[in-house]
Amino acid sequence: MNRDGNAKSPPKMIRSCRYVAVRVRLRQFMRLFNIFALLPLLPLLMASPLCAQVTFGSSGEEGEPFRRQQWRVPSPDTEIAAHALLFRPVGAGPFRLAVIAHASTQNVLRRAQMPQPEYRALVAFLIARDFAVLVPERLGHGATGGRYVEDQGGCDEADYARSGRATAAETSLALDFLRKQDFVRQDKVVVLGHSAGGWGALALANADPNAISAIIALAPGRGGHANDEPNRICAPQTLLAAAAGFGKAARIPVTWLVATNDSYFAPAFSRQLADAFRGGGGRVDFRTLPAVGSEGHWMIESEAGVKAASRELGLALNEAKPTAAKKP
């Protein structure tokens, strides 16, 4: 006891030892706590990196129609395999390859909800002419997901050239992968692009003509239905300038098809785009097709639309031209 009758304080050495012991026990407790906290995460921590799990090729059994089969093909994102549908004629091939580049939208929700594109009527037309047909789904769409790399931006800063080249690059990756398959011929590939996919096909016209023999652009363009208004195009002069740029680099002939009742890129404006492409140096055969359905922009997705375009499609695929009738 001290003079005031209070208990003496423990020696400093004893107080220090107790402090150290408490700290040691606390560390041991926290170490155990961290171990138990991490246990649920161990499978994730021990798993192989995501990029190592990406595989390409067939991912399901063949079905109907036309030996329909799910495939995974390369995308610009090395950690994402793009979903695709492959259709083939009967037999082992090798077959000429046709790649269909699908339409797109700037609307994020619509892209996320987009069903996997098939273009069944167009596929049937191509299968009947002994083509293997690949319909790849690009990044930012439907089941493939990922970042939308072909974003064109708003009207004030629209970069249609960049968006077209991004679409072309994605299409080219899928095309190059399929060309390596035993059942595909290395030459005379045909690229068919619809709407934004067609715009990307125009950008792809600068590819090697020994590999791609023809490009068919079906109502190509970007920025149509600006603010969801028919016959309104976002930054049309920017679109025309980009078309001229694509034409300047083009090496592959283009067949350009648009329906009379297309309210996204009406025939008059589509002709201006084709003229700009031709003025840049590209070879283009521009054709206006009769009205099909209530909106001609989507005609190529229907059986009636493919039938209306069958002659032009056949000529673009290098089929024999019809014999001219003899004069009486």
Side-chain angles (χ1 to χ4, degrees):
M1 303 284 288
N2 61 18
R3 281 189 238 175
D4 298 323
N6 296 325
K8 293 182 180 179
S9 299
K12 289 184 178 180
M13 183 179 69
I14 297 175
R15 184 168 53 197
S16 176
C17 288
R18 287 177 181 171
Y19 175 74
V20 170
V22 168
R23 287 194 62 184
V24 168
R25 291 194 186 106
L26 183 59
R27 285 175 185 170
Q28 291 173 339
F29 174 79
M30 291 304 297
R31 192 177 295 118
L32 287 171
F33 177 83
N34 289 336
I35 291 172
F36 284 112
L38 287 173
L39 280 177
L41 300 178
L42 280 179
L44 293 176
L45 295 173
M46 297 175 66
S48 300
L50 183 60
C51 57
Q53 298 176 354
V54 175
T55 56
F56 306 124
S58 61
S59 59
E61 299 296 323
E62 291 184 8
E64 296 296 334
F66 314 120
R67 302 173 64 183
R68 180 184 187 275
Q69 189 176 33
Q70 292 279 350
W71 274 58
R72 300 291 183 269
V73 296
S75 79
D77 188 331
T78 56
E79 295 186 355
I80 297 178
H83 291 231
L85 287 175
L86 177 68
F87 302 86
R88 279 182 275 182
V90 176
F95 309 107
R96 286 182 69 185
L97 175 65
V99 178
I100 301 176
H102 62 76
S104 185
T105 174
Q106 284 289 103
N107 187 292
V108 177
L109 183 59
R110 291 176 191 169
R111 281 201 314 271
Q113 296 175 339
M114 186 180 292
Q116 192 161 9
E118 293 202 33
Y119 292 93
R120 285 202 178 189
L122 184 55
V123 166
F125 182 90
L126 294 164
I127 291 288
R129 285 148 185 84
D130 215 33
F131 279 85
V133 185
L134 181 75
V135 190
E137 184 179 67
R138 300 191 301 277
L139 284 177
H141 298 83
T144 296
R147 186 172 65 90
Y148 186 52
V149 298
E150 40 189 315
D151 188 359
Q152 68 200 32
C155 276
D156 293 337
E157 71 282 355
D159 192 342
Y160 295 126
R162 190 207 62 78
S163 65
R165 288 192 295 267
T167 305
E170 289 200 66
T171 305
S172 184
L173 281 174
L175 184 158
D176 290 343
F177 180 75
L178 258 291
R179 286 181 67 227
K180 297 174 184 176
Q181 308 306 311
D182 293 340
F183 57 86
V184 171
R185 283 176 50 173
Q186 296 295 301
D187 63 338
K188 293 191 175 182
V189 175
V190 175
V191 175
L192 303 96
H194 176 212
S195 190
W199 184 248
L202 295 178
L204 193 55
N206 66 352
D208 182 1
N210 292 318
I212 301 176
S213 63
I215 285 174
I216 303 175
L218 307 156
R222 298 284 311 216
H225 269 217
N227 297 323
D228 285 332
E229 294 183 28
N231 297 305
R232 182 177 177 183
I233 298 171
C234 178
Q237 294 304 316
T238 305
L239 197 65
L240 288 165
F246 291 159
K248 187 176 181 180
R251 304 166 64 196
I252 300 167
V254 172
T255 298
W256 193 310
L257 306 179
V258 62
T260 301
N261 62 330
D262 190 320
S263 70
Y264 284 75
F265 308 104
F269 182 75
S270 289
R271 186 177 289 279
Q272 291 181 47
L273 278 177
D275 287 343
F277 183 84
R278 186 184 292 110
R283 288 178 291 164
V284 58
D285 181 14
F286 179 84
R287 300 296 175 103
T288 301
L289 301 174
V292 175
S294 60
E295 175 52 71
H297 192 67
W298 309 112
M299 66 173 291
I300 205 61
E301 296 183 350
S302 69
E303 189 171 344
V306 172
K307 184 176 180 180
S310 60
R311 180 181 180 278
E312 286 75 13
L313 289 172
L315 292 174
L317 296 174
N318 298 321
E319 290 184 357
K321 295 182 180 180
T323 304
K326 294 181 180 179
K327 294 183 179 179

